[in-house]
Amino acid sequence: MSDKQIHARYDALLTAAADAVMVLEPTGLVMACSTGVAEWLDADAIVGRKLDDIFPEDISADIIAAAVKALDASKVIKVDIQLRPEHIPVLREQGLSETKWVELRCSAAEGEVLAVFRDITAKRRLERQVTNQAQRDPLTGAYNRRALRPVLEQAVAQAQRYDWVCSLMVIDVDNFSDLNDNFSWDCGDQVLQQLVTSVHSMKRTSDFLARYGDDQFVMFMPETNHDQGMAAGQRVRRIMEEMEIPYAAGDVHFTVSVGVAALHGPEDDPDNMLRRALENLFIAKQSGHNRVEGEA
Ligand SMILES: Nc1nc2c(ncn2[C@@H]2O[C@H](COP(=O)(O)OP(=O)(O)OP(=O)(O)O)[C@@H](O)[C@H]2O)c(=O)[nH]1
């Protein structure tokens, strides 16, 4: 096969490929470029420039490191790169209008490196969506019990290390099964959704709300001592008591009971805090509902 044929085949391959490809010198100089389907890359404006002139320092260093490794190890080196238009003016001018994730694969060829960029933005988005769904309660959008566990463990350990205070509350809808029975399951659903919306709008950004059971929610509150946790519990109780949910058969009212527990020093742990909060919730229910109980 002649050199001409080899070049023609190489050009045809690059023209047909969906991926963007750059031929790089190990110094970072772009010798050739084909854009594939990347509408945010202008080959003419890239060829002859150094990666440092195109990308910010950290990205260009990642690409050069992958290229050098591919040359040294004679194998394909893979690295994922995030391209943000606000950090890469050169690509923004060429049409990069939203954040993209690309998978870079480098392989060595006669002292040069072929750098293949594949757009994996859609795959990344899907992965994030799936992770998000796995951590959320589909009805209310609050975090679920599975998501709560690692947050509690990390936050309680951190509070213990730095001698900070923290508290949690368990919120439980009073006579929730009666709401379901007397109105409808749909009405019960609306109560749970409204509860979460209201608690979200009153809580601090750092507080963490999760659906813990059927009609039960746990809110972890960092940097909150017992008295502040009780005050937050009373706020939740009052807001729920005042809420009216419009329903076909008339406005629906409901109340909640709340159990609060604060961190008890270095020997305490999330399971014990939850157990105490649930005990206090039980006392609130036994004492007539629509109450907040904490530690004496
Ligand atoms: N609408 C609705 N109901 C649910 C959902 N998940 C569970 N339930 C129902 O919620 C009810 C929970 O009832 P219980 O745990 O007995 O609590 P309660 O009736 O509030 O009683 P107290 O806590 O003692 O006041 C059960 O009847 C479940 O079937 C849901 O997602 N939506």
Side-chain angles (χ1 to χ4, degrees):
M1 194 186 296
S2 70
D3 278 359
K4 203 171 154 201
Q5 273 178 313
I6 294 172
H7 275 230
R9 189 180 280 179
Y10 167 77
D11 286 344
L13 179 67
L14 289 186
T15 309
D19 299 335
V21 180
M22 291 183 195
V23 180
L24 302 174
E25 275 194 348
T27 55
L29 184 69
V30 182
M31 309 290 289
C33 174
S34 79
T35 58
V37 294
E39 73 290 349
W40 41 269
L41 205 56
D42 175 357
D44 292 339
I46 295 286
V47 174
R49 292 175 84 160
K50 292 196 105 183
L51 291 172
D52 292 351
D53 296 336
I54 305 166
F55 296 103
E57 211 177 305
D58 53 337
I59 295 183
S60 127
D62 280 353
I63 301 174
I64 292 174
V68 168
K69 216 161 155 191
L71 278 168
D72 289 349
S74 297
K75 61 177 187 184
V76 176
I77 303 296
K78 224 176 75 173
V79 52
D80 287 357
I81 296 174
Q82 191 181 32
L83 304 175
R84 289 175 183 274
E86 61 274 24
H87 292 163
I88 318 176
V90 174
L91 295 189
R92 196 176 58 215
E93 278 163 26
Q94 294 177 23
L96 182 69
S97 56
E98 57 172 8
T99 300
K100 296 262 179 208
W101 275 98
V102 290
E103 179 192 80
L104 165 66
R105 297 167 78 97
C106 286
S107 78
E110 295 289 323
E112 291 178 343
V113 173
L114 273 184
V116 181
F117 297 82
R118 173 164 295 185
D119 188 340
I120 54 164
T121 312
K123 184 175 142 222
R124 279 280 179 143
R125 265 196 208 127
L126 193 67
E127 282 168 1
R128 209 174 43 201
Q129 225 174 343
V130 169
T131 311
N132 202 21
Q133 277 165 3
Q135 295 197 326
R136 298 276 182 176
D137 164 43
L139 175 69
T140 62
Y143 285 102
N144 59 25
R145 200 172 169 142
R146 192 178 330 139
L148 175 69
R149 165 70 35 192
V151 169
L152 275 189
E153 282 182 356
Q154 207 209 340
V156 168
Q158 193 179 37
Q160 285 169 322
R161 191 171 332 124
Y162 296 108
D163 212 11
W164 294 338
V165 290
C166 65
S167 300
L168 59 81
M169 69 169 92
V170 184
I171 307 162
D172 189 294
V173 182
D174 294 326
N175 305 313
F176 184 65
S177 42
D178 290 350
L179 275 175
N180 271 343
D181 294 346
N182 298 341
F183 293 89
S184 68
W185 187 278
D186 176 53
C187 175
D189 282 356
Q190 285 190 46
V191 165
L192 299 178
Q193 286 166 330
Q194 279 298 326
L195 182 151
V196 168
T197 305
S198 301
V199 175
H200 266 143
S201 62
M202 63 144 277
K203 76 178 192 58
R204 290 190 198 152
T205 322
S206 53
D207 294 344
F208 189 88
L209 179 69
R211 187 172 179 187
Y212 194 66
D214 292 349
D215 59 344
Q216 215 168 64
F217 297 84
V218 168
M219 183 152 83
F220 176 76
M221 299 167 286
E223 293 173 52
T224 304
N225 65 24
H226 181 261
D227 287 353
Q228 293 164 325
M230 288 294 286
Q234 284 294 1
R235 222 162 35 242
V236 169
R237 188 199 62 74
R238 231 175 7 251
I239 289 172
M240 299 307 148
E241 187 183 44
E242 287 164 5
M243 194 184 302
E244 286 176 358
I245 297 183
Y247 202 68
D251 288 347
V252 173
H253 295 263
F254 69 98
T255 58
V256 296
S257 296
V258 180
V260 174
L263 180 65
H264 280 180
E267 300 305 317
D268 209 356
D269 63 42
D271 284 336
N272 271 323
M273 287 177 76
L274 272 171
R275 185 185 44 75
R276 293 198 305 275
L278 285 165
E279 282 168 6
N280 293 328
L281 172 68
F282 181 75
I283 296 170
K285 295 267 182 191
Q286 293 293 301
S287 317
H289 299 88
N290 194 18
R291 293 174 63 88
V292 181
E293 292 292 336
E295 293 156 331

